[in-house]
Each structure stands twice: as C-alpha cells, then as structure tokens.
Amino acid sequence: MEQAPVFELRGVTKYFGTTCALHSVNLVIGNGEFLTLLGPSGCGKTTILRMLSGFESPTKGEIFLQGECVNELPPEQRQVNTVFQNYALFPHMSVWDNVAFGLRMQRLPKNEVNQRVAEVLRRVHLEGMADRMPRQLSGGQQQRVAIARAIVNNPLVLLLDEPFSALDFKLRKQMQFEIKHLQRQLGITFVFVTHDQEEAFAMSDRVVVMNEGSIKQIGSPQEIYEEPENLFVARFVGDINVLEGQVTEVRDGGSLTADIEGVSFSLRTRREFSEGDKVKVLLRPEDLKVHLEHEQALEPPFFTGHIDETVYKGATVDIILTLDNGKTLQAAEFFNEDDEDINYRPGEKVTVSWVEGWEVVLEDEEE
Amino acid sequence: MRQGQLFRVTSIGVTWFWLGVFALLPNIALLLVAFLDKGETDFFIPVFTLNNFEELFSPIFLTVLWDTVRLAVASTLVCLAAGYPFAYAVAKASPRRRPWLLLLVIIPFWTNSLIRTYALILIIGAQGMMNKALMALGLIASPIEVMYTDLAVFIGLTYTFLPFMVLPLYASIEKLDPRLVDAAKDLGASSLRAFWHVTLPLTLPGIVAGCMLVFLPALGCFYVPEVLGGATNMLLGTFIKNQFLVANNWPLGAAASSVMTLLLIALALVYRTVNRRISGRERRGDMFVSGVEGGA
C-alpha cells in the first residue's frame, strides 16, 4: 500500500458476551481504495464495519483513524459515514431533508447546506426528487438518497453495509457500476460489506475474505480467485475442484511430482513441501481440459472418466464428470462456433487434464 | 369469496348495529333533550329552548369547565412525562425482561379502577402511608392535607390513566427502527439531537394517541373527583352526573354532555389529522388502532 492508511486495525478482538465475533484482526485500509469485506453471514464483517463507524468498540486491540486511536470515539464525532442496509432513510423527512441532515447537524450556514445538497442530488441524478418522501421512491432511488445523504458530508471513509441486498438483479448490476464510478470520481475510501463474491470482485481494489471472526486472505480479486491461500477461500469464492494427492518427489525451483487421485502429475507451487506430504490440488472448472477419449488429444498424464451431465449456460457449458476412481469434477468450456466437440453425451468416455502451473497446491489442513 | 363477504357484512353489521343502538341513539337523544325545557316533575318537557346552552355560559359552568380542562391537561402532561421514559425503557429492555415490565402496566387494567381510587386514600390520606412516612423521616411535623383538594384529584387522574399513556407509547417506540437512530448518529447527531429529530417525530403518533387516551377520559371522569376531591371544586363529570341524578335537570346535563362530546370529537379529528400527516396515505388506520394495537 503506497498511500498513507486511513484506517488501521491492530489486533482487534471483539466479544459479545462470551461469543467471540472477531479474533485478533489486523487490517490496513489505504486512502482512496475500494476495499470489500467478503464472507458468509456471521463471519464478523459487519462487526468490523460497526467498529469503523463507531457503533461498537473493540474488546481488545486498537483502531486508528488517520493515525489517531478512535476506540472510544462515538459515531457522531467520526468523519465516517454509512450507507445502511435497507438504507434507513428518515421516513418523516423529504429527500432534501434527509440529505441535508448531516450538514444541519454540523450547523453549517443555510446557503452552504442548500448548495451542497443540490450538488450531491445532481450527482446521484435525483434533482427532481428533492420534495418526495422516501416511501414515494423506488428501491434504486432510495439507494441513491442513502448514498447522497452519506457523501454530502465529505467523509474520509464511506461504509456500505450490503447496500444492494434489497435490489433486483438488473438494478444491482447498474448500482454496482454507479458506485464504482462514484468512488473513482470522489476519490473517497469505500469499505464495502457483502457476502456476494461476484459483487466483491466487480467493484473492489482489494478483497478481505473473512470466516468465523478472522481474516482468511487479503488480496486483489484476481489474487483471491487464482491464488487462494486456503481451502476456505478457494471454496467460498467461485466453484472449484479439490483433488487429493501425496507428494512423491520434490525438485528445485518450486516443482514437484505428486500422486493425484491415482495418477502421477508434475506440479508447480511457491509453497514448501517435502516427500510424503498430503496435499490438496485446486483447479477451477474453466482450467480443466476435457476431451473425448478416442480423440487421443492429450499427452499423458491425464485422468480418465465419463460424462455425467452437461449444463448449457449460454456463454459456457458446465460439464459434470466422474473419474474412474469415483471422484466427481466440474469443468466449464467456452462455446466456440467452429468447435463442435463440446457437445458431450452422458456416459461418453473422456480424458481430463490441465495446463501445468494453473493448479494451486495447498497442504491438507483437513487431516 | 361470497362466504367471506357474508362474514364481513355480518360482522361489520353487528358492530354497526350495536354502536347505533347503544351509542349513537342515546347520544342523539341526549342532543335532542339538550334543546328541551326542564320540568318540575318530569325529567324534561317537550318545549324547544336554547336556555340550557345559555346557562352553560354562566360563570359557574365556565369555572367547572376551566378547572376540568386544566386538571385533565396537567394529568396528561404528567402522564406523558412519566410514561415516555418508562415506555422507552420497556421497549429497549431485553426480550426476557420486557413482558414483566409490561405486566406492571397491565395489572392495574385488571383491577377495578374504583377500588384503585379508594386504595389511593390509604396512601395520600391524612393518616395515610405518605404522611406517616414523611413524619417518620421528620420531614414534616403534621400531616399534609392532600385529600379533598385539586392535588388529590390530579394524583388520582394521573395514577388511573398512566397505563393508557404507556401502552400506545410503548407500541410506537417499539416499532421504531433502531437503525434510524444509528443513521442520525452516523450523520453527526448527538444522542439528544437524534432523539429530538428522529425518535420524537417518529413516535408522535404514539404520543398523540396516549395523550388522547388520557385526556379524553380524564375530562369526563367523575368517580375520581367524587372519591378524592371535595365538594368545593366540582368537575365536569360530576356536574353532569349531578344534573341527571341530583338536580333532576336532564336538559342542562344533556347540554353540558353534548358540549363535552363535541369537544372530544374535535380532539379526535385533530388526532386523525396529525396521524395522517405523519404516516401518509398508505396507512389509513382507524382512530386509535394504529397506536394501540401492539400494546394490548
């Protein structure tokens, strides 16, 4: 991280009663970045967000905002604003009054309030809606009011708590785009909470994958997807095939040979292994190469198996197949007009392989 | 479909019939009697007159009306001041403790209010617990005279009607989305300003409902001033009762009663207007229902 951090969490632990919601979390949030906290419900992502906004304080550890410890600083004194889940718009106030609320709390002069509210409403394309009440707006418009109400205060950090959960699919895509666009325009740090990995990948500079109160991996969407550091991240983010293996030979330069599901493959890895180690080999469906057995298109080593089912997905075809040892795999192939050979029939014999180096090798943590 | 409609027509019809026969008709009769002359031996004689309403402008009746309104307003305000924090505390209490706190409010409902009024004498009477306690503590030398004063009536009204304030307040505070208060704080409002700008306006329907439910019965209540108040300070309820049962002047009683009914209707309309303005057009809730439903 080149820029100075805006938020920093050091060893932050949070207990609710005897339940540990966060376990010794360290996180640096850079100025101007779009950071997403991703994880299943109950993983602690919302707890982190509530500590950044000031609604919770850590049981142990420190939170720094621009270098100052803000453990006990209440939300109203932090230059941080939140877009709440379901928006939490004030139902008894017009759009204008909702957006002006924060500025009025700062007791700014009336003409400055008017000017800033008008400007931010223009920015979120709600110029004509100022006199409407929240209940007279569509979901997408309410969402925009919630965003306008937060960014009008020029926060150091904007927190977004699953802001799209109430929107339908199409609107969600559009709002993702708009929010990403807005973040680039404003240059404000956005911290986004979601359980939807596609949403996280589409918007974020960095993704923090969490589970059971601790951080499992921090990285760019690409790093998270292609180089998962553990099985939780690998399985949580997208579809993945997990193959069982055992190291049979270790060579210099990150290369090794392993017996995988009964077949000996050469693998590449940055991790250290020694002979006899049990490993998991991770392969994304789109990384697998599937060919009909009689075509003899693949050089060994490869697996042999048979097709169970193909699922037409428009741009791709998902292939479910079973290896000869009974292991089920999922592969995905892109349609190619010239190439008809991805029309498999159930029961057809196939060979399966992948490009060496595309695999991720992890130690077997489930032992 | 047809069966559902039959059920609706029947159930609503029965209610309408009941209210028509036992509420609307007597009130119309009362209004008619108010325009008739009083008789020496009969309750009234069928001669049209406006004398009864003229009599209501006499200083005696106006004093009664003023005292009544003053006491009812004071009781309502005290009930609100005491009821709001309590209702708030109940609404924010843990789910385990909440039913027990609510029970504190509901138990008095199960007790006859006349008995509760007599029970008050045991506390505020000259030889009552309050005086004994204060004398034992050496704070006063001789008992404070509370009984048979306005103060006693005021204490009685407040005590009797407090639950009617707490329940609608509780219902509306409990319904309030706590995230709205969070949002206000997130936008820079202190706890006090968040309360003033968000909690208070959004619980206004409960406040108005509670005030109506205390003020209206307090206005017409006759047994509390009867038991706790003196003969010197007559209130509206007692005045009306006396015209019917003591002075045998039905027309005057009917006129006073009609004026009070009109006053109540006017206040009910105020309530509806306020409630509509707050909750908008979607919730066309009945007079009190929207405020009270969650509490009972």
Side-chain angles (χ1 to χ4, degrees):
Chain A
M1 195 55 46
E2 309 256 317
Q3 298 120 321
V6 56
F7 260 123
E8 188 174 351
L9 279 69
R10 280 190 212 152
V12 169
T13 298
K14 178 71 185 176
Y15 278 90
F16 292 110
T18 54
T19 323
C20 182
L22 276 185
H23 184 72
S24 190
V25 163
N26 292 300
L27 179 63
V28 177
I29 302 173
N31 201 4
E33 77 169 321
F34 197 123
L35 183 98
T36 297
L37 304 171
L38 174 68
S41 57
C43 72
K45 57 190 194 294
T46 304
T47 307
I48 289 191
L49 203 73
R50 286 180 66 80
M51 287 208 245
L52 298 181
S53 55
F55 290 108
E56 306 286 353
S57 55
T59 313
K60 251 193 290 185
E62 281 113 42
I63 299 172
F64 296 91
L65 175 58
Q66 289 199 315
E68 272 180 57
C69 181
V70 291
N71 278 20
E72 302 303 327
L73 197 69
E76 64 266 27
Q77 287 171 31
R78 297 187 186 200
Q79 210 185 331
V80 172
N81 291 111
T82 308
V83 175
F84 288 84
Q85 199 174 5
N86 300 68
Y87 325 132
L89 298 179
F90 304 127
H92 58 302
M93 294 183 198
S94 66
V95 168
W96 182 278
D97 290 337
N98 263 282
V99 176
F101 191 88
L103 301 177
R104 287 179 182 153
M105 289 303 116
Q106 292 175 46
R107 302 183 198 276
L108 293 180
K110 203 173 176 188
N111 48 5
E112 190 186 342
V113 173
N114 290 347
Q115 192 199 325
R116 280 168 71 174
V117 172
E119 189 191 310
V120 81
L121 285 179
R122 242 192 331 273
R123 196 186 272 283
V124 297
H125 314 298
L126 286 172
E127 300 96 323
M129 305 283 176
D131 295 330
R132 300 269 184 99
M133 299 304 276
R135 64 173 175 276
Q136 298 170 306
L137 302 178
S138 70
Q141 288 167 337
Q142 291 185 18
Q143 167 86 82
R144 290 204 178 97
V145 177
I147 293 165
R149 185 177 71 171
I151 63 173
V152 74
N153 305 292
N154 293 333
L156 293 168
V157 181
L158 183 71
L159 309 173
L160 300 107
D161 185 7
E162 306 229 9
F164 306 136
S165 52
L167 302 180
D168 62 47
F169 180 75
K170 233 181 135 182
L171 199 53
R172 189 184 284 226
K173 290 271 171 198
Q174 189 193 332
M175 287 308 298
Q176 285 174 14
F177 175 77
E178 281 185 28
I179 286 203
K180 183 67 206 161
H181 189 66
L182 193 68
Q183 194 259 340
R184 288 213 190 96
Q185 271 187 337
L186 297 171
I188 299 176
T189 311
F190 278 34
V191 178
F192 187 91
V193 160
T194 185
H195 60 267
D196 182 336
Q197 52 106 357
E198 232 177 281
E199 203 165 271
F201 284 1
M203 305 178 73
S204 320
D205 299 321
R206 287 198 304 157
V207 176
V208 179
V209 185
M210 298 188 61
N211 191 38
E212 291 177 342
S214 53
I215 294 178
K216 292 296 176 187
Q217 188 171 354
I218 306 178
S220 70
Q222 200 177 350
E223 285 165 352
I224 301 279
Y225 191 75
E226 293 179 3
E227 297 288 332
E229 282 173 5
N230 46 61
L231 281 173
F232 174 80
V233 174
R235 286 189 174 129
F236 187 73
V237 175
D239 293 322
I240 200 151
N241 296 297
V242 180
L243 305 173
E244 316 277 339
Q246 189 163 18
V247 179
T248 53
E249 188 195 341
V250 180
R251 291 179 297 275
D252 289 337
S255 174
L256 52 85
T257 305
D259 183 61
I260 302 160
E261 306 286 343
V263 182
S264 186
F265 283 87
S266 176
L267 306 174
R268 288 203 201 137
T269 178
R270 288 177 288 126
R271 293 180 176 80
E272 299 278 319
F273 293 100
S274 45
E275 261 172 54
D277 281 354
K278 293 223 167 160
V279 291
K280 300 270 187 189
V281 177
L282 312 179
L283 285 160
R284 296 285 176 194
E286 63 272 19
D287 292 344
L288 289 178
K289 296 189 294 184
V290 180
H291 289 277
L292 291 172
E293 196 174 29
H294 61 77
E295 288 180 334
Q296 303 193 324
L298 289 176
E299 294 287 314
F302 50 73
F303 297 121
T304 54
H306 63 271
I307 300 287
D308 288 325
E309 202 183 340
T310 55
V311 182
Y312 177 75
K313 284 278 187 70
T316 59
V317 165
D318 286 356
I319 302 161
I320 317 291
L321 54 91
T322 303
L323 299 185
D324 290 345
N325 72 349
K327 175 99 180 168
T328 301
L329 296 185
Q330 193 186 340
E333 292 201 355
F334 282 90
F335 265 114
N336 184 348
E337 295 283 329
D338 309 325
D339 189 8
E340 299 290 321
D341 75 349
I342 59 173
N343 289 319
Y344 305 98
R345 285 189 307 276
E348 275 187 305
K349 285 287 197 180
V350 289
T351 55
V352 183
S353 181
W354 68 91
V355 177
E356 190 184 331
W358 287 11
E359 71 279 359
V360 172
V361 188
L362 296 178
E363 62 183 302
D364 193 345
E365 29 182 306
E366 285 172 358
E367 243 180 318
Chain B
M1 203 54 207
R2 192 177 289 174
Q3 215 178 3
Q5 205 154 23
L6 183 71
F7 172 75
R8 237 179 48 183
V9 170
T10 318
S11 56
I12 295 176
V14 167
T15 312
W16 271 99
F17 178 76
W18 184 270
L19 287 173
V21 171
F22 295 105
L24 189 62
L25 277 183
N27 270 300
I28 289 176
L30 211 58
L31 193 62
L32 290 177
V33 171
F35 289 100
L36 300 179
D37 212 351
K38 64 178 172 192
E40 290 298 320
T41 50
D42 293 319
F43 293 130
F44 54 86
I45 34 181
V47 178
F48 178 81
T49 173
L50 289 174
N51 281 349
N52 303 311
F53 289 95
E54 256 168 59
E55 220 172 308
L56 290 186
F57 284 99
S58 70
I60 301 170
F61 181 77
L62 288 179
T63 312
V64 168
L65 188 64
W66 170 239
D67 283 351
T68 309
V69 170
R70 218 182 42 181
L71 262 177
V73 166
S75 314
T76 308
L77 291 180
V78 168
C79 279
L80 180 62
Y84 202 101
F86 182 76
Y88 193 89
V90 177
K92 300 292 169 195
S94 69
R96 213 164 40 86
R97 283 176 56 197
R98 204 180 299 168
W100 296 103
L101 289 170
L102 270 182
L103 203 63
L104 287 180
V105 187
I106 292 169
I107 282 178
F109 264 139
W110 297 341
T111 319
N112 185 306
S113 48
L114 194 58
I115 292 173
R116 285 195 292 136
T117 309
Y118 277 110
L120 253 190
I121 299 178
L122 291 178
I123 298 170
I124 62 172
Q127 295 302 312
M129 287 186 251
M130 185 184 75
N131 275 322
K132 277 186 180 154
L134 287 176
M135 288 202 302
L137 286 171
L139 292 175
I140 50 171
S142 56
I144 312 173
E145 296 289 336
V146 176
M147 280 303 293
Y148 312 117
T149 63
D150 274 0
L151 181 63
V153 179
F154 165 72
I155 291 173
L157 290 176
T158 310
Y159 168 66
T160 306
F161 295 119
L162 184 62
F164 293 90
M165 178 66 85
V166 170
L167 291 179
L169 280 176
Y170 164 76
S172 72
I173 296 170
E174 203 255 350
K175 256 194 312 203
L176 179 75
D177 184 350
R179 274 179 311 191
L180 294 175
V181 179
D182 279 0
K185 288 186 182 170
D186 187 75
L187 292 165
S190 60
S191 298
L192 196 67
R193 295 181 87 191
F195 177 79
W196 181 255
H197 290 287
V198 175
T199 309
L200 202 61
L202 287 175
T203 51
L204 199 55
I207 294 173
V208 177
C211 287
M212 299 281 292
L213 286 179
V214 173
F215 183 71
L216 300 188
L219 211 54
C221 183
F222 67 89
Y223 58 84
V224 170
E226 196 91 324
V227 174
L228 300 176
T232 46
N233 28 40
M234 197 192 287
L235 296 185
L236 190 55
T238 314
F239 177 87
I240 294 170
K241 193 204 82 175
N242 282 350
Q243 296 313 312
F244 281 98
L245 301 183
V246 182
N248 254 350
N249 190 347
W250 277 33
L252 182 59
S257 168
S258 300
V259 165
M260 195 175 84
T261 306
L262 286 177
L263 204 63
L264 302 189
I265 290 174
L267 285 170
L269 288 176
V270 168
Y271 168 75
R272 211 169 66 147
T273 316
V274 172
N275 209 21
R276 276 212 179 151
R277 193 185 297 169
I278 291 163
S279 54
R281 259 176 256 157
E282 324 136 296
R283 230 199 305 144
R284 269 175 294 150
D286 290 327
M287 296 285 288
F288 297 114
V289 177
S290 60
V292 185
E293 58 193 351

